[in-house]
Amino acid sequence: MRHITNTLRCLSFGLLMGLSTVSAAQENAGDIKIVVEQPWARASIGTSRPGGAYLALRNEGDVPVYLVGLRADISAMPSIHETQTNDEGVSRMVPAGDIEIPAGGTLALEPGSYHIMLMKLQSPLVEGETFLMTLLFSDGLEMEVVVPVLRIGARGPEG
């Protein structure tokens, strides 16, 4: 039943937003104002490999905010990672920990940088579908974001 409720919530939000990836959510909590822009994920080939999701977080508040985690029913192990490249040009992904979004600043989660790993997918990420993800912040703020799934080779929110 929960999956059906989440699906209906995603569909309703998608219809209201016209499935736009320009801005998915905005949340105010006291002096904190976070705007989520351009959420997207790549379609996956089945569930055996992790999925990736990306977005930008704009802090319109007067104090720094920290992204500390996330939840997504589509993944049994969602986490935030950072791509690091050593002096020899070899890249690897490592858990990021808490990430600061400075007052008046933007944090981009994008390929080759900070990004969301959706490990242990519960179902494939299917092009044209959406899923719900909840972002968790250090001040206790939780934001639900509808994430549209783009084609497998997508390089950005424009596809």
Side-chain angles (χ1 to χ4, degrees), residues 89-157:
V90 177
S91 295
R92 66 186 184 120
M93 291 178 268
V94 297
D98 299 353
I99 308 170
E100 180 180 359
I101 310 161
T106 299
L107 169 68
L109 281 78
E110 57 193 7
S113 182
Y114 289 113
H115 56 279
I116 296 165
M117 292 292 296
L118 301 167
M119 297 178 285
K120 298 185 179 180
L121 287 172
Q122 303 300 295
S123 59
L125 298 172
V126 178
E127 182 178 356
E129 293 186 359
T130 61
F131 64 91
L132 266 181
M133 183 169 56
T134 303
L135 304 175
L136 309 173
F137 297 91
S138 56
D139 64 345
L141 177 68
E142 296 187 4
M143 288 182 71
E144 279 194 336
V145 178
V146 177
V147 181
V149 180
L150 307 180
R151 63 186 176 81
I152 287 177
R155 307 282 296 154

